[in-house]
Amino acid sequence: MSDGVKINHLFPVGAPPLTGAKNTATRPQQAGGFKDMLDAKVLKFSQHAEVRMKQRGIQLQPESLTKIMNAVDEAESKGAKDSLIVMKDIAMIVNVPSRTVVTALDGKQMQSNVFTNIDSAVILS
């Protein structure tokens, strides 16, 4: 896939797609749908992260996004709160409990090699 991921969207993992239909006949069938969506593991992007990604030309492909979400899952399983996730020439600070990307850096910004206010790091290959 060559389509980039659109910023300002939630990315559910394993959740069924939501339909735009507002038919009351389908509501009982979807009663658990909203709760399932809330319980689904999603990755959100803060407004700051969206701006930084746009400024720095960072575009995530669906495969990359899946790897990042898996890294957040792993960090969560270890009890991490704020994690640095490094993948190739992209680094992201993610608030693990809220599953929110707080900021994103490209290779040029990573050269200072100083990251603060994190309690864990996940390096992806």
Side-chain angles (χ1 to χ4, degrees):
M1 288 184 161
S2 63
D3 294 334
V5 174
K6 293 182 181 177
I7 302 300
N8 201 17
H9 289 83
L10 298 178
F11 301 99
V13 176
L18 298 176
T19 60
K22 294 185 179 181
N23 188 344
T24 57
T26 60
R27 283 210 171 149
Q29 194 175 28
Q30 293 179 344
F34 183 70
K35 183 176 183 339
D36 291 343
M37 181 66 181
L38 289 176
D39 292 340
K41 296 184 177 185
V42 295
L43 186 64
K44 298 170 273 195
F45 291 84
S46 70
Q47 184 176 1
H48 175 80
E50 290 177 20
V51 169
R52 292 295 180 246
M53 291 176 72
K54 186 177 264 188
Q55 286 175 341
R56 296 168 179 163
I58 298 171
Q59 294 183 354
L60 297 175
Q61 300 302 317
E63 308 84 47
S64 300
L65 187 61
T66 300
K67 286 181 181 182
I68 293 167
M69 288 189 292
N70 290 338
V72 173
D73 289 340
E74 189 168 336
E76 183 178 46
S77 74
K78 302 288 185 181
K81 301 295 180 214
D82 292 294
S83 188
L84 168 69
I85 298 177
V86 179
M87 182 178 65
K88 297 179 185 175
D89 61 342
I90 299 171
M92 296 183 169
I93 305 291
V94 179
N95 179 271
V96 176
S98 69
R99 303 183 68 83
T100 302
V101 176
V102 177
T103 194
L105 303 103
D106 62 9
K108 190 175 183 178
Q109 281 77 35
M110 287 191 304
Q111 289 184 2
S112 69
N113 297 320
V114 177
F115 297 94
T116 60
N117 298 326
I118 62 170
D119 61 11
S120 61
V122 181
I123 312 299
L124 302 174
S125 55

